Amino acid sequence: MLVEEKTILTNKINSKQQPVVEIRHLKKSFGNNVVLDDFSIELKKGENLVVLGRSGSGKSVLIKCIIGLLKPDAGTIDVLGYDMLNLDEDELDKVRAKIGFLFQSNALYDSMTVRENLEFPLRRSWIAINQQQIDEMVLEALTNVDLAHTINMMPVELSGGMRKRIALARTLILKPDIILYDEPTTGLDPITGKEIDELIVAIQKKYNTASFIITHDINCVRLVADRVAVLMDGHCYAEGTFDELQKSTDSKVKQFFE
Amino acid sequence: MELHQNWKAFFAEAGDISRFTSRFFVQGAKPRQEVAEFFRQCFIIGYKSLPLIGLTGFIMGLVLTMQIRPTMVSYGVQSQIPAMVGIAIVREIGPVITALIFAGKIGSSIGAELGSMKVTEQIDAMEVSGTNPYKYLVVTRVLACTLMLPVLVMLSDAISLYGSYLGVNIRGRTSFAFFFKVVFNNLDFSDVIPAFLKSFFFGFAVGVIGCYKGYNSNKGTEGVGYSANSAVVLSSVIVFIIDLIAVQITDILGLN
Ligand SMILES: Nc1ncnc2c1ncn2[C@@H]1O[C@H](COP(=O)(O)OP(=O)(O)O)[C@@H](O)[C@H]1O
Ligand SMILES: [Mg+2]
């Protein structure tokens, strides 16, 4: 009851706000392979938006376009009021510092220790900070994921779930406003996957971040989603809350919930 | 049909490599120089190759001398062994063999390292954390290769000559001073300088090809192995091609 009232209230506040990410008529193809075809969606502040789609449907392509790792063929992407497709390198780096990206393969630098992995984005950003602040931020990020004791270990020494959490800590270290999760639970056992889902929700609560969560794991959707969009044939095929989509009679939407 | 496609693929790759190389000059000039990473790479690429280069250089000088000896003796010019070996090592064998060993050791490790960084999205991760991965990974490694190989070649030449000195002394008896006197009497700048200059190009080629192959690795562990392997093969071939071009240039300039 109380929770419901609260969500209604936040939804009202959010609906007045300018979305933090706004994607309009996005198109992207590789040669003859049309991956995104007129995809539009918006992400509101503090919201967990799940993009659901089969493998190969273009989910990773979508979030790589958002952060500028891929250049779309047409359409617009607006992040925190910046037109992502028309920024120079310095501006792009500044916007990217506000976006966290959790890679599907974690992308931990395997030649560096956990500490160096976490320090990397701090040292490379243009923010001026001293060693003491760096140490504090590294420790805070590691504590957030309960892995402070791994600080001097190498990524190869960690289990899959631990690596995912270290990657999440590295994503969080610059306190991003927006986080893009690329299949955060794929390849993990259900229990570890659930831990990651809980972390995603905890982070959303603690820092009030807005997130795109790309997945085809329905348990993950159930736990983290405020809103769900189904990516199919390159565009947003259906959109709604988890419950709405679960009750859907559309056969294409239904197959995700079986 | 098959052949036609092979040629097409060949020219497409040559074009890609040229574009990749031109990025080196464009991006290398841009601000935010990765000085610390450059020195780290010099250490890895230069210092850590020393034992291997030293060993192969030593054996090369020794074996060359022992093989050449019977012929020289039969012509009665065994006193000229140091001159002959010295010129062979400094002008040709030293730079080329060192570059080939370098391609095998460093080219493959750069190809594999960047290849695995590529397929595990580490290169993308660098880019989204405000780092230009081309500058951080490629420019530093190519520069380190270009500057370290000439140094390694000089060291290898020196160790080879020492090996050769020992080789002469297995059967004959020559003093250290006399051996090197004959070597240096027969070497001029026109022997040393072109060899020194071409080793910069060898180093550059090994660095660029290793980085190119790694940077354009395909998904999967197979892709990484293929990158490492083709980096060695291609950079070795290019070392020979550069050598061929270098000898034409020195010939035209009358330095042979
Ligand atoms: N860099 C690329 N070059 C060519 N094709 C690509 C590239 N990245 C993705 N694709 C293609 O785009 C499609 C969608 O890929 P992706 O977004 O990775 O799927 P998923 O939804 O599983 O994340 C696939 O058919 C894939 O082959
Ligand atoms: Mg994907």
Side-chain angles (χ1 to χ4, degrees):
Chain A
M1 182 67 189
L2 201 64
V3 179
E4 269 178 353
E5 271 173 16
K6 210 173 140 197
T7 38
I8 291 166
L9 196 67
T10 44
N11 280 345
K12 265 187 190 158
I13 295 167
N14 286 343
S15 61
K16 280 186 213 146
Q17 271 170 338
Q18 165 95 350
V20 287
V21 179
E22 193 173 353
I23 297 170
R24 292 271 161 260
H25 311 298
L26 201 66
K27 289 198 171 101
K28 175 75 188 172
S29 23
F30 297 98
N32 294 328
N33 178 10
V34 180
V35 178
L36 294 176
D37 186 16
D38 203 13
F39 185 90
S40 302
I41 205 159
E42 36 187 70
L43 176 71
K44 301 191 191 82
K45 192 161 175 32
E47 175 188 45
N48 274 351
L49 171 64
V50 169
V51 178
L52 195 58
R54 301 175 52 167
S55 29
S57 59
K59 305 182 299 294
S60 300
V61 170
L62 170 67
I63 53 173
K64 285 186 176 163
C65 284
I66 296 176
I67 202 155
L69 285 172
L70 290 173
K71 211 154 181 61
D73 304 329
T76 60
I77 299 172
D78 198 282
V79 177
L80 301 165
Y82 294 92
D83 174 7
M84 288 301 276
L85 303 178
N86 293 302
L87 293 178
D88 66 34
E89 267 177 50
D90 285 352
E91 289 172 319
L92 186 60
D93 279 346
K94 284 191 185 114
V95 184
R96 277 175 174 170
K98 297 179 204 268
I99 310 175
F101 196 119
L102 184 69
F103 288 89
Q104 183 171 352
S105 56
N106 300 328
L108 293 176
Y109 307 124
D110 18 65
S111 59
M112 304 182 193
T113 63
V114 168
R115 180 202 295 277
E116 287 163 343
N117 262 285
L118 295 189
E119 283 180 352
F120 193 85
L122 288 176
R123 292 193 190 282
R124 312 298 303 183
S125 76
W126 296 92
I127 313 162
I129 38 177
N130 61 33
Q131 186 59 45
Q132 195 196 340
Q133 286 166 306
I134 289 180
D135 287 344
E136 279 166 15
M137 289 167 93
V138 167
L139 203 64
E140 182 189 341
L142 280 177
T143 317
N144 272 332
V145 297
D146 281 330
L147 283 175
H149 61 281
T150 62
I151 189 159
N152 291 320
M153 289 164 93
M154 299 300 285
V156 285
E157 299 172 66
L158 306 171
S159 70
M162 286 160 107
R163 249 177 279 163
K164 185 63 81 185
R165 284 196 279 165
I166 297 295
L168 189 51
R170 188 178 68 183
T171 307
L172 288 175
I173 200 149
L174 285 172
K175 306 254 163 55
D177 298 331
I178 299 160
I179 305 181
L180 311 174
Y181 295 93
D182 194 351
E183 307 204 12
T185 57
T186 301
L188 300 176
D189 63 86
I191 300 165
T192 317
K194 191 157 174 272
E195 282 172 13
I196 300 292
D197 294 336
E198 283 161 358
L199 262 175
I200 293 174
V201 176
I203 288 159
Q204 180 201 16
K205 296 250 158 65
K206 188 165 175 187
Y207 297 110
N208 193 30
T209 49
S211 307
F212 268 99
I213 298 135
I214 302 293
T215 192
H216 54 228
D217 173 2
I218 206 68
N219 290 321
C220 170
V221 184
R222 195 193 324 266
L223 281 168
V224 304
D226 296 325
R227 192 156 59 95
V228 184
V230 177
L231 170 59
M232 207 179 284
D233 305 325
H235 55 263
C236 186
Y237 184 78
E239 196 193 317
T241 63
F242 182 81
D243 292 335
E244 283 166 14
L245 290 187
Q246 198 175 25
K247 286 184 202 118
S248 165
T249 49
D250 188 300
S251 62
K252 280 182 175 172
V253 175
K254 254 182 167 170
Q255 64 190 8
F256 286 102
F257 293 85
E258 273 153 13
Chain B
M1 181 65 195
E2 193 74 345
L3 197 68
H4 160 79
Q5 298 239 308
N6 281 346
W7 279 107
K8 230 173 129 180
F10 172 78
F11 284 115
E13 179 156 37
D16 280 347
I17 294 174
S18 319
R19 236 166 292 136
F20 190 80
T21 312
S22 65
R23 263 173 89 186
F24 171 83
F25 295 102
V26 176
Q27 306 248 353
K30 284 192 186 161
R32 185 143 192 179
Q33 300 304 331
E34 308 286 357
V35 180
E37 179 64 14
F38 167 70
F39 281 112
R40 204 174 75 86
Q41 288 304 326
C42 284
F43 177 75
I44 295 171
I45 288 170
Y47 183 72
K48 294 204 167 165
S49 308
L50 272 182
L52 185 65
I53 300 282
L55 178 71
T56 50
F58 177 79
I59 294 175
M60 211 165 62
L62 182 74
V63 170
L64 187 66
T65 306
M66 292 175 70
Q67 302 236 17
I68 252 176
R69 193 185 160 82
T71 318
M72 300 294 268
V73 170
S74 75
Y75 282 107
V77 284
Q78 71 200 83
S79 64
Q80 290 306 307
I81 293 176
M84 175 127 186
V85 172
I87 286 184
I89 286 175
V90 170
R91 289 193 68 131
E92 180 63 17
I93 301 177
V96 171
I97 299 280
T98 310
L100 292 178
I101 304 272
F102 191 76
K105 181 172 162 62
I106 301 300
S108 65
S109 85
I110 291 179
E113 187 189 10
L114 295 199
S116 76
M117 291 187 76
K118 165 82 180 189
V119 302
T120 58
E121 299 177 305
Q122 292 175 53
I123 292 182
D124 285 343
M126 284 196 169
E127 182 155 1
V128 303
S129 359
T131 300
N132 179 337
Y134 190 92
K135 284 205 70 150
Y136 188 82
L137 299 171
V138 178
V139 174
T140 53
R141 280 170 176 76
V142 173
L143 266 183
C145 283
T146 311
L147 296 181
M148 287 300 109
L149 184 57
V151 176
L152 290 170
V153 166
M154 282 193 290
L155 278 162
S156 165
D157 285 354
I159 295 170
S160 279
L161 289 176
Y162 184 71
S164 170
Y165 162 72
L166 293 185
V168 169
N169 275 282
I170 289 176
R171 286 286 162 82
R173 193 154 286 280
T174 310
S175 78
F176 191 78
F178 180 73
F179 179 88
F180 279 94
K181 194 170 161 238
V182 179
V183 169
F184 286 113
N185 275 345
N186 288 282
L187 277 178
D188 336 324
F189 271 118
S190 66
D191 296 315
V192 177
I193 298 297
F196 184 61
L197 289 182
K198 76 181 173 189
S199 50
F200 282 96
F201 288 91
F202 292 164
F204 183 77
V206 172
V208 165
I209 299 300
C211 290
Y212 169 80
K213 288 292 181 181
Y215 220 73
N216 292 291
S217 217
N218 291 320
K219 280 250 181 255
T221 40
E222 235 173 277
V224 176
Y226 177 76
S227 300
N229 179 267
S230 58
V232 177
V233 174
L234 186 57
S235 52
S236 305
V237 172
I238 291 183
V239 163
F240 281 111
I241 293 173
I242 293 174
D243 199 38
L244 183 66
I245 296 170
V247 79
Q248 307 298 330
I249 294 174
T250 49
D251 194 41
I252 291 168
L253 296 179
L255 297 177
N256 275 354

